[in-house]
Each structure stands twice: as structure tokens, then as C-alpha cells.
Amino acid sequence: MTLWVNFNLNEISILFLNAGAYLLIFFLPRKLTPQVRTLTLLWGFAVGVLFDFTIGGGLLDFYMVNDTNHFEVFDFLYYFLFAPFGYYFFYFYEILRINKKTFVPYVLAWSVVGVAAQWGFTLLEIITFQKGYKVPYSFPVFLVTQTLTGIYLDSVKSRQPIMAAPKMKESKKYVLRRRLT
């Protein structure tokens, strides 16, 4: 494993994209429970890496990540970009109160976001397609992954609460009374 072949636009982009994606998570209101927050990051990472290894550099080898087909440290940092997208999918699923009627448009919208992100990665030379692969071919892959993610989220919701309890502000009168007794 090498650090990088050339430190250029794709490596710099990966650093900035990771910083931005994780900062946004930090600044969004904490609506999900800590367990679910961790689960969303792990889910996004695992599903992204699974499909990327299958389609990208693994079995089918339709695209190259970064400068070579060999694993670099920045390939690993690229895979960390998948985790925030898992978080955002879960987060907005709950914020927008997605239900059976809005599930299909939500999945379609996220599939478009995935294709747009992949297109952006090609512009930044983070991904280079091989063997005639094109960006639109990824749309069905994103449809499958987003649908499975939505089904998984509904399964988790049926077993435990997803949303964190809102923090109650205590009145000064109540706090004073509690300290005196």
C-alpha cells in the first residue's frame, strides 16, 4: 500500500470533502440517538465499500479510485465519504417524516444525489471509469442501495426509537426549589 502516487486535485478534494461532510454532521442538530447515529455512519461506510469493491475496484473493476488500480491511503479516506451519506439519509428520512407514500420519491432523490456525487468525483478525478462504464449505469445501483437502506431503517425503527428525546429546559424556579429541598 502506498501513500499516494501524485498528490494533486483528487487527494486535496478528498481531504476537503471529508472535512465538509463531517463538519456538517457536527453542526446539524442532534436529532438521532447516539446509537443510531453510530449505526448510520457504519451502515453508510459498509454499504458504500461493499458496492465500491464489487463494482469499482473488485470483481468488475469498472472504475479506478484516485491515481491507480492499487490501494492507496487516500482510497481509504475516499471510503470514509460514504459514512456521512448514510447519516444524512437516515437524518433527513426522520426530519422529513418519510412514509409509504413518500418513500419512492425519497429513494429516487437520493439515487440522483448519489449519481451526482459520482459525477462530481469523476470531475475531480477521484474516480476514473474503465471498460466503457458511464455515470448513468450507477443509477440502478443507487436505487438498490437506497431502497435497502430505507428498508433497513424501517426495521431499526420497529425495534427501537430513532429520534433522541428533546432536551427540556428547566425553569429557574424549579431548579431553585430542587436545590432547597
Side-chain angles (χ1 to χ4, degrees):
M1 177 170 63
T2 59
L3 288 176
W4 58 79
V5 174
N6 297 316
F7 192 83
N8 53 19
L9 177 65
N10 56 1
E11 284 83 9
I12 294 167
S13 300
I14 288 172
L15 291 174
F16 278 107
L17 289 169
N18 268 301
Y22 285 97
L23 276 174
L24 183 58
I25 289 173
F26 181 74
F27 286 117
L28 283 173
R30 304 232 181 225
K31 299 281 185 181
L32 304 175
T33 63
Q35 299 87 351
V36 172
R37 200 173 24 231
T38 303
L39 180 68
T40 64
L41 294 169
L42 289 173
W43 178 263
F45 180 79
V47 169
V49 168
L50 174 73
F51 276 92
D52 201 64
F53 279 158
T54 304
I55 296 168
L59 298 173
L60 303 175
D61 200 23
F62 284 135
Y63 54 86
M64 175 176 61
V65 177
N66 288 320
D67 300 317
T68 67
N69 274 331
H70 302 292
F71 192 73
E72 300 176 9
V73 170
F74 274 87
D75 294 354
F76 190 65
L77 293 176
Y78 162 71
Y79 297 137
F80 271 107
L81 282 173
F82 298 142
F85 283 98
Y87 178 83
Y88 300 141
F89 184 94
F90 278 60
Y91 183 86
F92 290 110
Y93 194 96
E94 288 302 306
I95 296 299
L96 298 172
R97 296 186 176 124
I98 301 301
N99 56 39
K100 290 178 183 178
K101 292 179 182 177
T102 56
F103 182 78
V104 171
Y106 188 73
V107 166
L108 287 171
W110 272 99
S111 297
V112 169
V113 167
V115 169
Q118 193 173 50
W119 176 71
F121 293 155
T122 61
L123 294 178
L124 296 170
E125 298 176 0
I126 295 170
I127 295 175
T128 306
F129 293 129
Q130 308 175 136
K131 300 180 181 179
Y133 194 80
K134 297 179 184 342
V135 173
Y137 299 164
S138 294
F139 188 72
V141 174
F142 284 110
L143 278 176
V144 169
T145 58
Q146 305 307 341
T147 302
L148 290 174
T149 302
I151 291 168
Y152 179 66
L153 176 56
D154 283 336
S155 172
V156 170
K157 284 173 60 172
S158 70
R159 290 180 173 82
Q160 70 178 42
I162 297 288
M163 300 295 276
K167 292 184 179 181
M168 302 292 256
K169 292 185 178 180
E170 294 181 346
S171 70
K172 291 179 183 180
K173 183 188 242 184
Y174 176 72
V175 173
L176 181 62
R177 189 177 329 140
R178 190 173 59 191
R179 286 184 187 158
L180 294 175
T181 57

